[in-house]
């Protein structure tokens, strides 16, 4: 009888010991997760306190700020290259080489006078990987500002109707991109775009773009269902070169600002109409 029970007792003891070991491992994992959540909440608490203190300090200036923003023909600078490294840290530089389907190169540097220089070489050669069909783009995009609980602070440009860029170009065509927080699909952000033509030479150029002139695009293609820019929900601005002309490019940027122009009355410059379901024809911007 003892011989029959002995193996069973040993097996039950092993299972029992394994159960307690698994429970201890699970408890340790849960303890690590809760400790990580607690540390994260401590960080969030500190960030929230700093944001609230800043908000309380700015309350007396709200009336003054609102009054200044409502003045017509006044430029309010959003991005300015002032010769400091902080002005460069507000932008992300990328090109097709970064995504391993092209050979273009791009860089953003400060000039001797403190302005930003977006330069590089556009290469339209297609990689022979059997998948890539087009290549040749370089881009800089402003970094969205993240706040407490991983939220994005959007640029509220409701009181403005014009975007102003002070640039010195090389005669090439650049694409201005406005990305909105609520326009997103499964793979990439939808955006509003405008083609900016630059002049070559040593002289600066002030480009004034009404927000009504931006067209709605989906994955860099013109969309048939057009609608105006959602000015209260703009989270980033980008500048892209992809004009299918291989060679070096150079765009010097001084500042990017917004303005309320009383001479602009239109809200949207393009037709808006309903497209039958199932029709998805689009064309590329370039």
């Amino acid at each position: 009888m003892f011989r029959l029970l002995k193996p069973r007792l040993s097996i039950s003891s092993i299972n029992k010991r394994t159960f307690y070991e698994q429970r201890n491992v699970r408890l340790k994992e849960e303890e690590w997760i809760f400790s990580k959540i607690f540390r994260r909440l401590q960080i969030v608490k500190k960030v929230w306190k700093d944001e609230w203190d800043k908000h309380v300090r700015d309350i007396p200036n709200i009336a003054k700020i609102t009054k200044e923003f409502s003045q017509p023909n006044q430029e309010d600078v959003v991005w300015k290259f002032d010769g400091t490294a902080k002005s460069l840290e507000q932008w992300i530089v990328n090109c097709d080489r970064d995504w391993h389907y092209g050979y273009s190169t791009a860089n953003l540097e400060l000039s001797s006078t403190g302005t930003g220089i977006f330069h590089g070489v556009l290469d339209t050669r297609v990689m022979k990987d059997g998948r890539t069909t087009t290549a040749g783009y370089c881009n800089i995009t402003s970094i969205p500002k993240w706040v407490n609980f991983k939220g994005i602070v959007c640029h509220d440009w409701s009181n403005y109707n014009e975007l102003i860029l002070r640039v010195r170009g090389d005669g090439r065509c650049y694409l201005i991109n406005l990305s909105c927080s609520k326009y997103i699909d499964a793979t990439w952000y939808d955006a509003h775009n405008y083609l900016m033509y630059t002049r070559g030479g040593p002289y600066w150029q002030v480009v004034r773009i009404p927000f009504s002139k931006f067209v709605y695009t989906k994955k860099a293609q013109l969309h048939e269902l057009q609608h105006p820019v959602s000015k209260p929900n703009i989270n980033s601005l980008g500048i892209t070169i992809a004009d299918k002309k291989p060679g070096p490019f150079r765009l010097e940027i001084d500042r990017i600002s917004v303005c309320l122009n009383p001479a602009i009355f239109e809200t949207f410059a393009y037709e808006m109409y309903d497209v039958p379901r199932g029709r998805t024809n689009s064309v590329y911007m370039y």
Side-chain angles (χ1 to χ4, degrees):
M1 188 70 181
F2 179 75
R3 293 178 179 177
L4 293 175
L5 291 177
K6 187 175 180 180
R8 295 183 182 179
L9 290 173
S10 62
I11 293 173
S12 62
S13 63
I14 292 173
N15 292 338
K16 189 174 182 179
R17 186 167 57 249
T18 305
F19 169 76
Y20 284 114
E21 289 177 355
Q22 291 177 355
R23 188 186 67 174
N24 292 335
V25 171
R26 186 168 63 251
L27 290 175
K28 289 181 180 179
E29 292 178 353
E30 293 176 355
E31 182 181 356
W32 178 79
I33 293 173
F34 280 111
S35 63
K36 186 176 180 180
I37 294 174
F38 180 76
R39 290 194 300 270
R40 179 61 185 172
L41 287 176
Q42 294 294 324
I43 297 173
V44 168
K45 178 183 176 181
K46 183 179 182 304
V47 174
W48 181 82
K49 183 177 181 301
D50 295 340
E51 292 175 1
W52 177 256
D53 293 342
K54 183 178 182 301
H55 175 71
V56 172
R57 290 195 304 268
D58 292 343
I59 286 178
N61 298 324
I62 289 179
K64 180 181 178 181
I65 293 173
T66 305
K67 183 178 179 181
E68 290 178 355
F69 281 5
S70 61
Q71 292 182 1
N73 293 325
Q74 174 181 316
E75 289 189 35
D76 293 313
V77 179
V78 184
W79 294 281
K80 169 72 174 178
F81 289 95
D82 54 2
T84 61
K86 185 178 180 180
S87 60
L88 288 180
E89 294 173 355
Q90 300 178 5
W91 299 88
I92 298 175
V93 185
N94 64 90
C95 58
D96 52 15
R97 179 189 290 267
D98 299 331
W99 301 97
H100 305 288
Y101 69 85
Y103 303 96
S104 303
T105 58
N107 197 5
L108 181 63
E109 299 176 342
L110 291 174
S111 67
S112 58
T113 58
T115 57
I117 300 179
F118 174 43
H119 66 97
V121 178
L122 190 70
D123 197 330
T124 57
R125 290 179 298 167
V126 178
M127 298 187 68
K128 299 179 181 180
D129 55 1
R131 300 186 305 270
T132 307
T133 57
T134 59
Y137 96 93
C138 299
N139 169 269
I140 57 172
T141 303
S142 64
I143 300 177
K145 182 180 179 182
W146 294 83
V147 293
N148 203 12
F149 301 105
K150 294 186 178 182
I152 297 179
V153 176
C154 297
H155 300 283
D156 188 358
W157 294 342
S158 303
N159 297 327
Y160 306 99
N161 57 7
E162 193 174 39
L163 181 70
I164 302 175
L165 299 92
R166 187 172 185 264
V167 297
R168 181 156 55 183
D170 52 1
R172 302 187 67 161
C173 178
Y174 295 83
L175 189 67
I176 308 299
N177 319 302
L178 295 179
S179 298
C180 300
S181 59
K182 66 179 182 179
Y183 303 139
I184 182 173
D185 61 2
T187 56
W188 202 253
Y189 287 98
D190 298 345
H192 283 78
N193 304 108
Y194 183 85
L195 289 174
M196 179 180 69
Y197 296 91
T198 62
R199 299 192 300 263
Y203 300 107
W204 285 94
Q205 174 184 0
V206 177
V207 182
R208 308 180 72 97
I209 309 172
F211 286 115
S212 59
K213 300 294 185 181
F214 282 87
V215 295
Y216 174 55
T217 61
K218 187 179 182 68
K219 297 181 181 179
Q221 298 182 17
L222 288 175
H223 203 280
E224 289 187 339
L225 296 176
Q226 291 291 320
H227 55 81
V229 178
S230 180
K231 293 187 289 184
N233 299 305
I234 296 173
N235 56 37
S236 64
L237 180 144
I239 301 176
T240 303
I241 179 169
D243 55 2
K244 300 181 181 180
K245 298 178 181 178
F249 65 90
R250 187 180 189 275
L251 179 67
E252 189 172 357
I253 307 169
D254 178 28
R255 66 177 183 270
I256 301 175
S257 55
V258 289
C259 176
L260 174 62
N261 191 342
I264 299 176
F265 297 99
E266 67 177 358
T267 57
F268 196 55
Y270 311 102
E271 294 183 356
M272 295 183 293
Y273 51 88
D274 295 330
V275 178
R277 181 174 295 181
R279 183 179 175 186
T280 58
N281 295 334
S282 301
V283 295
Y284 282 99
M285 285 292 294
Y286 284 105

